[in-house]
Amino acid sequence: MKKTILVTGGTGFIGSHTTVELQNAGYNVVIIDNLSNSKADVVDGIEKITGIRPAFEQVDCCDLEALEGVFNKYPEITGIIHFAASKAVGESVQKPLKYYENNLLSLINLLKLMPKHDVKGIIFSSSCTVYGQPDPENLPVTEQAPIKKAESPYGNTKQINEEIIQDFVHSGANISAIILRYFNPIGSHPSGIIGEMPNGVPANLIPYLTQTAIGIRPCLKVFGDDYDTPDGSCIRDYIYVLDLAKAHVAAMARIVEGKNTDPVEIYNVGTGNGVSVLELIHTFEKCTGVKLNYEIAPRREGDIEKVWGNVDKANKVLGWKAVHTLEEALSSAWNWQQKLRERGVM
Ligand code: WQD
């Protein structure tokens, strides 16, 4: 009997790729999304890739009544992967209440409903931003690294949500939780049917880079080359979204098969490799043959200088490891950007 997983934010970038991998692994998927930052036709794209159309409900997780209606309609839901959240670091500084209300209330509503509807476990989409700037001796950063004061309301909502989960489970709630701390998700499905679709001017590096490469943006600004790194530009752990999606399947299996040894488990999900902005640009040029127009600009406020993950725990306990190269991830991002142009989308 196929198990059914609720994917909140499932028409979004990581949610849609994770839905594909869940279906490939034999799960039924119910997607809920309020479409505030994605489009319903992503469901068509998922069906095109896997041949299976996931159920889709346009619901806001902050609407408790509507959310409960989903659990009543799909009583077979046994697990949740919670992606739905506002995620723009810069916007969160301008609109903190929107971020606290949306990101905290959506999780609280899900946790409230899980015991009532016999939902065994939840996987929470967290972030390496909870580490802030790790001390040099703590790089690559492990799950035991100290949590630092968040640099933005967005990052703070991730930290608070992790605490909400811990407190709820430790209050005796009969549920399990796995917290996945992502590093920098990049790339798009190799089919070119689904991918990262930022609204307006992208804040993140990869969509801005591919939009520059295709001519939508005149020039990519590299935010600083005077950091304490080999080439002066910031270092991150860029993980292909396909590898990230598969980490969620591994985590969900651990929950539905009852293999989790602690009621709350935390895993870093990255490649374990640190790559600088300039290295990434040169890799993109090499693997696509496209010359990129970029210039060095002043540092961006709030940027972490260097962070990359120690992913031994996910490798050993989840049995998961990122297998794709940076070249594959960047080539997939470029393929997606070209497909969007072919379809006249941008
Ligand atoms: C990466 C690097 C920039 C744009 C992201 C997400 C955040 C969280 C953590 C999941 C930085 C540089 C960028 C540009 C540039 N993820 N850059 N020019 O800041 O690491 O945060 O990962 O929760 O939600 O935003 O990612 O892609 O914005 O920046 O030089 O036009 O690229 O300075 O060093 P970041 P990013």
Side-chain angles (χ1 to χ4, degrees), residues 87 89 126-129 154 158 182-185 202-206 208 220-223 234-236 238 277 300 303-304:
K87 62 165 192 171
V89 175
S126 189
S127 164
C128 62
T129 47
Y154 161 79
K158 292 298 181 186
Y182 309 159
F183 285 75
N184 286 55
N204 288 132
L205 176 63
I206 301 309
Y208 202 104
L220 170 70
K221 288 185 169 45
V222 174
F223 295 139
C234 292
I235 294 174
R236 294 288 185 277
Y238 296 97
V277 177
R300 179 174 68 174
D303 268 338
I304 300 292

Side-chain angles (χ1 to χ4, degrees), residues 127-175:
S127 164
C128 62
T129 47
V130 303
Y131 299 118
Q133 175 54 69
D135 297 331
E137 65 273 18
N138 285 338
L139 283 170
V141 67
T142 70
E143 293 83 353
Q144 286 70 45
I147 301 301
K148 293 208 173 161
K149 179 163 176 14
E151 306 269 338
S152 68
Y154 161 79
N156 203 22
T157 65
K158 292 298 181 186
Q159 290 182 9
I160 297 169
N161 275 343
E162 289 196 10
E163 290 166 7
I164 288 171
I165 290 168
Q166 297 275 13
D167 290 346
F168 183 56
V169 170
H170 294 143
S171 73
N174 181 26
I175 64 163

Side-chain angles (χ1 to χ4, degrees), residues 26 31 44 54 126 157 184 187-188 201-202 209 238 248 267 275-276 282 286 305 328 331:
I31 289 177
D44 304 329
S126 189
T157 65
N184 286 55
S188 298
V201 179
L209 184 152
Y238 296 97
H248 290 79
Y267 298 92
V275 172
S276 77
H282 300 143
K286 208 167 78 196
E305 177 176 76
E328 286 171 299
S331 299

